[in-house]
Amino acid sequence: MSVKHRLTGQSHRVAAALCVLGAAANFGALAQTNDEAALAEIYGNAEMVSIATGNAQPLRQSPAIASVVTAEDMAAIGATELNEVLETIPGLHVGVSGVGYKPIFSIRGIHTQSNPQVLVLINGIPIKNVFDGSLGSSWGRMPVTGIARIEVIRGPGSALYGADAFAGVVNVITKTAADVRGLDVGARAGSFHRNDQYLQWGGELGVFDSYFYVEHNRGDGPSRTITADAQTALDAGLGTTASLAPGPVSLSLHNTEARADISRGYWRLRGGFQEINDGGVGSGVAQALDPKGRGDGRRLSADLSYDNASFTKNLGLNGALSYYNVENLARLTLFPPGAFGTVFPGGFPDGVIGNPDVYERHYRGELSALYTGIDKHRLRLGGGYRKEDLYKVEESRNYNLVTLPIIGTIPSPLGGLVDFTDIAAFVREENRTIAYAFAQDEWNFRRDWMLTAGLRLDDYSDFGTTLNPRLALVWQTSYALTTKLLYGRAFRAPSFSELYNVNNPAALGNPSLDPETIDT
């Protein structure tokens, strides 16, 4: 059930917009021709995509296997959050991780539990956590209310986007004042105590085009029951009765999302905030039911961009500076009260408790130029610098791991919570810097034929350099058929948990790891 109220301001551009709509309707009544395709390339339409090369071009002519979903598409399928939209894209499967039931975006079957093989961008800026390569506990449902369109490429994209563009890239493009005119207020309610409220406004504030959006989502998640969990197996082996199974999966989530977009001329300033409170931990971090465990988090982002397609004759220039801060906080009961009671009688009256917190800061700057002064070529050159800083790790727990004969490695009680932040936290505080440069040429060497070649060099402070090429030959065989021959290499940089995990009950790190690579 939904309720919506809209107040739309008038604009002096209404007449021009009606003329454009009328012209579009007339074109739609005619048979589609190559001339019409050329007009679409000049003026743009819903089938334009920029994620494949950084330049807007018709979807069927892009040098990648790409998909575009617009706000109108999202409304048509009734989607309310990003995951529901991505489920509709061919070749992309949305699953959930075993830990916390966080979303896994699997492209062509390539994924792991933390899902670092798919690069997720918001307005072209990466939002992956450097801790484990995932979207983190501060990643909520991302409601679609503030999303203008989503672009997806399936296949390697490191020649343009660098690390983690391994199996594919998802770019979420948020709304601007051009997408919303006036005030739009709405509310939704549904099963499992789901309720959403949102407000968005777009218009002019003085000389600035401005857009503001805020939404709050709350829900308990689907009712699912676990009949047996990890503690069930421990009970059978140790003679205890601590398991909470059969019992419900913990899927509650309170999500607040806010965004602002302010622009004038070639300049645009964006800000974003996302907060997760009382996020359920699914079937439990240790696969033992944990109804009390919670994952909380906050994500704060800002970026300033400049985009001038006519900076000088035959030269376009764009650049961006961005920052985001991520806090992932967890309050976990790894095993329930009474666990390991026959080994340590009375040792865990409140359960096996672990509270790991991770704080990250990311800085990024990039500048690129598009040169069109060579006949039939579009040459893009660019470079940038990033810093990924895992600047604070905090941990408290009421156990140490011990290895016993026959039983193996199990938690040993400490008698209460102990702060291990400055003693032996579960991962080291580290940072990395990345300097990179890229070049790409789009050569329309013959009518209906386009050859795209690109190369990117990334220099990492912690494991050195990596070089990733791409090559794409696209033949517009007919208006209804496009033939593409594609090659690309991609890489995934090791996450900090893979490199620097210490005193960790899940896995230890290996500082000697090299990047994961793929050729497609």
Side-chain angles (χ1 to χ4, degrees):
M1 180 179 68
S2 65
V3 179
K4 186 176 181 181
H5 183 57
R6 182 185 296 274
L7 300 174
T8 306
Q10 293 183 344
S11 169
H12 64 278
R13 292 188 291 271
V14 169
L18 290 174
C19 290
V20 172
L21 290 172
N26 289 334
F27 272 117
L30 301 175
Q32 293 180 315
T33 66
N34 286 334
D35 290 338
E36 182 181 342
L39 286 174
E41 183 169 2
I42 295 172
Y43 293 104
N45 61 21
E47 294 302 308
M48 300 292 282
V49 61
S50 60
I51 190 175
T53 62
N55 307 317
Q57 58 193 153
L59 180 61
R60 65 181 178 277
Q61 296 178 14
S62 67
I65 308 303
S67 298
V68 175
V69 184
T70 66
E72 291 76 15
D73 297 329
M74 299 177 216
I77 64 177
T80 61
E81 59 187 71
L82 176 64
N83 297 343
E84 295 171 347
V85 178
L86 296 182
E87 287 175 351
T88 69
I89 294 177
L92 195 162
H93 174 70
V94 179
V96 294
S97 67
V99 179
Y101 279 38
K102 296 299 180 183
I104 292 177
F105 305 145
S106 175
I107 294 180
R108 297 174 175 171
I110 300 174
H111 68 273
T112 57
Q113 286 297 302
S114 58
N115 197 209
Q117 291 89 356
V118 174
L119 180 62
V120 180
L121 313 170
I122 294 182
N123 300 313
I125 297 172
I127 59 168
K128 296 298 246 356
N129 287 0
V130 72
F131 166 59
D132 64 358
S134 74
L135 294 173
S137 62
S138 61
W139 178 259
R141 296 186 171 102
M142 192 163 189
V144 302
T145 312
I147 298 176
R149 59 195 280 121
I150 300 167
E151 299 181 353
V152 177
I153 58 172
R154 298 180 290 284
S158 288
L160 199 59
Y161 293 101
D164 302 329
F166 190 83
V169 183
V170 176
N171 187 27
V172 179
I173 301 169
T174 57
K175 289 181 178 177
T176 68
D179 301 300
V180 177
R181 308 304 291 177
L183 179 65
D184 180 15
V185 181
R188 294 181 292 264
S191 55
F192 311 116
H193 300 100
R194 174 71 182 267
N195 62 86
D196 310 332
Q197 306 84 36
Y198 68 86
L199 180 152
Q200 59 181 345
W201 178 87
E204 287 82 26
L205 287 179
V207 297
F208 297 101
D209 291 324
S210 304
Y211 169 76
F212 301 97
Y213 157 71
V214 63
E215 180 163 349
H216 179 262
N217 313 117
R218 179 170 182 168
D220 294 338
S223 298
R224 298 176 179 174
T225 300
I226 297 292
T227 56
D229 62 359
Q231 186 60 46
T232 304
L234 288 172
D235 287 345
L238 299 176
T240 53
T241 57
S243 176
L244 301 178
V249 177
S250 178
L251 297 175
S252 63
L253 185 66
H254 300 174
N255 178 55
T256 300
E257 182 126 355
R259 299 200 177 273
D261 185 293
I262 301 171
S263 65
R264 183 185 181 188
Y266 305 122
W267 294 91
R268 184 176 300 277
L269 177 65
R270 294 186 180 100
F273 174 77
Q274 186 179 59
E275 183 174 43
I276 303 298
N277 291 309
D278 295 327
V281 294
S283 56
V285 171
Q287 301 302 297
L289 286 175
D290 181 8
K292 295 182 179 180
R294 290 294 180 266
D296 300 336
R298 285 173 290 278
R299 185 188 303 266
L300 179 65
S301 63
D303 64 271
L304 176 65
S305 62
Y306 175 84
D307 189 0
N308 185 351
S310 303
F311 184 73
T312 63
K313 183 181 179 181
N314 299 323
L315 184 69
L317 188 68
N318 62 67
L321 296 172
S322 67
Y323 164 84
Y324 81 95
N325 187 89
V326 184
E327 301 177 4
N328 294 309
L329 316 175
R331 301 292 175 265
L332 308 172
T333 303
L334 303 175
F335 296 97
F340 310 102
T342 54
V343 181
F344 304 110
F348 292 109
D350 300 316
V352 181
I353 297 174
N355 302 321
D357 299 334
V358 175
Y359 301 78
E360 298 184 19
R361 286 187 292 242
H362 297 242
Y363 309 88
R364 178 177 177 266
E366 181 175 295
L367 184 67
S368 68
L370 178 66
Y371 182 66
T372 56
I374 304 175
D375 186 36
K376 298 183 179 180
H377 288 265
R378 290 194 295 184
L379 180 63
R380 181 176 291 277
L381 300 172
Y385 180 83
R386 298 206 323 264
K387 182 176 182 179
E388 301 171 336
D389 188 7
L390 182 61
Y391 69 93
K392 185 165 67 172
V393 176
E394 297 179 337
E395 181 186 18
S396 61
R397 62 178 190 262
N398 67 350
Y399 68 90
N400 263 333
L401 294 177
V402 297
T403 301
L404 301 178
I406 302 176
I407 298 177
T409 302
I410 62 172
S412 172
L414 294 174
L417 278 177
V418 177
D419 188 348
F420 281 85
T421 300
D422 298 321
I423 304 172
F426 62 100
V427 68
R428 284 163 34 192
E429 295 174 2
E430 294 284 346
N431 68 76
R432 68 163 45 130
T433 59
I434 307 106
Y436 60 90
F438 58 86
Q440 176 181 268
D441 182 32
E442 299 172 78
W443 180 23
N444 189 190
F445 63 93
R446 186 177 176 182
R447 180 179 174 85
D448 299 326
W449 288 83
M450 178 75 76
L451 178 65
T452 301
L455 189 67
R456 172 165 165 151
L457 175 70
D458 289 80
D459 183 24
Y460 277 69
S461 60
D462 51 355
F463 62 77
T465 61
T466 176
L467 190 66
N468 295 276
R470 71 179 298 195
L471 194 66
L473 180 62
V474 179
W475 174 30
Q476 189 65 45
T477 315
S478 69
Y479 184 78
L481 176 66
T482 304
T483 306
K484 302 182 181 184
L485 180 64
L486 310 173
Y487 165 75
R489 178 182 298 162
F491 75 103
R492 183 184 73 82
S495 68
F496 282 4
S497 63
E498 291 172 312
L499 291 169
Y500 307 123
N501 266 359
V502 291
N503 307 304
N504 193 300
L508 296 178
N510 177 5
S512 300
L513 284 178
D514 291 328
E516 182 179 11
T517 60
I518 187 172
D519 288 89
T520 300

